Amino acid sequence: MRVRIVHVEDYFDPEAGYQVNEMVMVSKDHGIDSYIITSNSMEPFHKNLSVEKDREFEAETGSTVIRLPVIFEYSRRLILKGLFKKIRELNPDLVFFHGIGDFKDLQLFGRRPNYVVVRDCHMSWVAARNRFRRIFYAFYRRAFAPIINKTDRYKVIFATSLEAVDYLRHIGISDPKIEYLPLGFNPSTMHYDEMARSEVRRGYGLADDEILISYIGKFDFFKRPDTVIDIINLLGLEFAKERKLVFLFLGPKDEQYVKFFNEKLSQIRGFKHIVEGYKPFAQLYKYFSASDICVFPKETTLSSIHAQVCGCRVLMEDHKANRERAIDERYLYQPDNLNDAAQHLRKLVEEYDFSRKFPDEAWLKRFDYNWQVKRLIELISQ
């Protein structure tokens, strides 16, 4: 028996590897007809909207992408024109409203839907920047949390990390409503490939004994890949040459930020480095496979899971969400402490032996989207 699931995501990039992309990709193998309702804005991705890319995604996943106009926006939270009318037209079994604490929570005061509703929370404390957040927390605990806790209007709220569990509790959601469902990966799109490793490294002119240290992700003032340049400078040119280090920066670029980044980049002319632009998510497994060490210098990122699935060592800040995802916590450094980051990277390089370090089966199972999609199907029948 096929089921119909609608995902509502304020912003959607059909070429990315975010949660909704990968869940929909996996869903086609589990008897699910998937729909994605989203906005017509691509601002967070530093790209323009492409109808052709939406159609390509639909063809690949067997899903339907529906874009609605934005009638109001505040702090990246949107009101989409005709959202609930469109949902009713689709007659779904389950609607997955991605995120929490946005305008879609107003549905709690409307009529009861005839489909299962689930939400999720991606929040981490390091990303909670809004200056009105304390007022919001207090308001949410009083206005929305009691309805969520005492009714089945939201069947469950998934926490995508242990930090998100803490956040949900902080805004008043009771434990029976919270279920841990971490962000993860799709084994069919993210995996180690020896041939791809050779192909990419050959294209960059890398020798077999050169260590490729990569930043793969967005170029913006939140992720701050320029911080990697500061860490490189602290390592020193002599050490980089002695250990045959090559540095790769790859990802989509915010126009304002990239000017700042390029100014900093001029500081490492003596270091062997490569700067690449945007690559579709479907190609990123090749670059993770080609890399030996990946550095994600600020906050948290889903890419750290992808890098480790492909056998890379990973260097990140020591946040709760990063500890949860890291195979080896020894290479987490004190937040905003670049000297500590450089010391950890030096140790990583000194210990590097060119073997791949893959996660164990339990780690892989926890982050595999196939298991998560099965959970959605279970909720429909409960």
Side-chain angles (χ1 to χ4, degrees):
M1 176 181 173
R2 299 190 68 82
V3 298
R4 181 172 292 198
I5 294 179
V6 173
H7 295 265
V8 180
E9 182 75 278
D10 282 348
Y11 301 95
F12 173 70
D13 178 359
E15 293 186 291
Y18 296 127
Q19 175 200 35
V20 65
N21 302 66
E22 295 297 87
M23 290 189 89
V24 167
M25 178 72 73
V26 167
S27 293
K28 69 179 188 295
D29 300 322
H30 294 275
I32 297 172
D33 295 327
S34 296
Y35 298 81
I36 300 170
I37 301 179
T38 186
S39 70
N40 51 17
S41 171
M42 297 288 283
E43 183 182 355
F45 313 115
H46 318 307
K47 298 168 65 176
N48 295 319
L49 176 62
S50 169
V51 175
E52 291 76 14
K53 296 299 181 183
D54 282 353
R55 299 295 86 82
E56 289 174 10
F57 180 85
E58 291 175 332
E60 185 178 6
T61 62
S63 65
T64 300
V65 178
I66 301 167
R67 293 193 181 269
L68 301 177
V70 176
I71 58 177
F72 185 75
E73 184 269 339
Y74 176 75
S75 189
R76 291 281 172 88
R77 291 166 172 83
L78 307 180
I79 295 179
L80 302 179
K81 185 177 181 180
L83 170 61
F84 290 96
K85 178 182 178 183
K86 178 57 67 175
I87 292 173
R88 289 193 295 272
E89 289 174 358
L90 294 173
N91 191 28
D93 298 291
L94 180 145
V95 178
F96 194 150
F97 291 97
H98 293 268
I100 192 76
D102 56 26
F103 297 112
K104 290 180 283 296
D105 282 320
L106 294 173
Q107 69 185 288
L108 293 169
F109 301 100
R111 64 183 184 183
R112 186 180 301 274
N114 60 354
Y115 45 80
V116 175
V117 176
V118 299
R119 301 215 64 169
D120 67 1
C121 175
H122 298 240
M123 185 59 71
S124 63
W125 295 116
V126 69
R129 303 185 189 87
N130 194 302
R131 60 179 174 164
F132 301 114
R133 60 187 180 276
R134 289 180 178 83
I135 297 173
F136 167 75
Y137 299 154
F139 176 71
Y140 202 92
R141 283 194 293 265
R142 289 166 175 78
F144 295 98
I147 300 174
I148 295 171
N149 294 334
K150 295 176 182 179
T151 73
D152 63 352
R153 298 297 293 265
Y154 292 167
K155 186 90 168 183
V156 67
I157 301 176
F158 295 119
T160 61
S161 68
L162 296 177
E163 212 167 334
V165 173
D166 294 339
Y167 180 85
L168 287 171
R169 288 170 175 164
H170 190 73
I171 62 174
I173 307 303
S174 61
D175 283 357
K177 280 291 180 180
I178 302 171
E179 184 173 323
Y180 178 61
L181 196 77
L183 299 174
F185 75 103
N186 176 353
S188 68
T189 57
M190 192 55 62
H191 51 84
Y192 177 66
D193 189 312
E194 183 67 40
M195 289 183 63
R197 175 179 172 85
S198 298
E199 173 191 327
V200 171
R201 291 176 69 94
R202 188 168 57 248
Y204 288 145
L206 302 182
D208 291 341
D209 61 348
E210 288 184 298
I211 298 176
L212 184 61
I213 300 176
S214 301
Y215 169 82
I216 300 176
K218 290 179 182 177
F219 284 60
D220 59 29
F221 286 103
F222 297 123
K223 298 304 182 183
R224 291 292 303 275
D226 64 282
T227 309
V228 180
I229 297 171
D230 298 325
I231 297 170
I232 293 170
N233 280 324
L234 289 169
L235 276 182
L237 182 58
E238 183 178 342
F239 179 79
K241 288 184 175 179
E242 175 192 340
R243 295 289 178 163
K244 299 183 179 179
L245 306 184
V246 182
F247 302 92
L248 170 65
F249 298 88
L250 185 152
K253 298 174 176 62
D254 174 75
E255 290 183 8
Q256 290 185 325
Y257 172 79
V258 79
K259 296 176 183 177
F260 171 75
F261 176 84
N262 287 337
E263 288 177 6
K264 261 199 179 180
L265 191 64
S266 64
Q267 300 174 13
I268 60 167
R269 286 177 180 166
F271 294 82
K272 188 171 181 180
H273 64 277
I274 303 157
V275 180
E276 283 267 50
Y278 169 79
K279 303 288 182 183
F281 177 77
Q283 300 296 317
L284 290 187
Y285 76 94
K286 297 180 180 180
Y287 296 90
F288 286 122
S289 295
S291 303
D292 301 301
I293 298 169
C294 284
V295 182
F296 303 105
K298 296 298 297 179
E299 301 185 345
T300 62
T301 175
L302 183 56
S303 296
S304 65
I305 295 176
H306 299 153
Q308 291 173 105
V309 166
C310 294
C312 295
R313 277 75 158 179
V314 168
L315 182 72
M316 302 182 286
E317 288 186 323
D318 188 359
H319 298 295
K320 187 173 183 178
N322 286 340
R323 290 196 298 274
E324 179 185 348
R325 296 169 181 173
I327 297 172
D328 193 338
E329 292 184 20
R330 291 179 301 158
Y331 303 118
L332 302 179
Y333 61 89
Q334 298 172 29
D336 299 316
N337 188 332
L338 296 184
N339 285 311
D340 192 43
Q343 290 174 14
H344 278 74
L345 183 55
R346 177 181 288 269
K347 185 177 181 182
L348 257 175
V349 170
E350 290 173 342
E351 296 177 351
Y352 194 76
D353 60 4
F354 285 96
S355 65
R356 307 303 287 183
K357 298 292 185 182
F358 296 105
D360 61 28
E361 187 174 343
W363 189 98
L364 290 170
K365 181 177 179 180
R366 179 156 54 108
F367 292 105
D368 188 335
Y369 279 125
N370 282 284
W371 296 97
Q372 302 183 18
V373 166
K374 290 177 182 177
R375 179 60 183 139
L376 295 182
I377 297 173
E378 290 174 356
L379 288 170
I380 294 171
S381 59
Q382 287 180 355

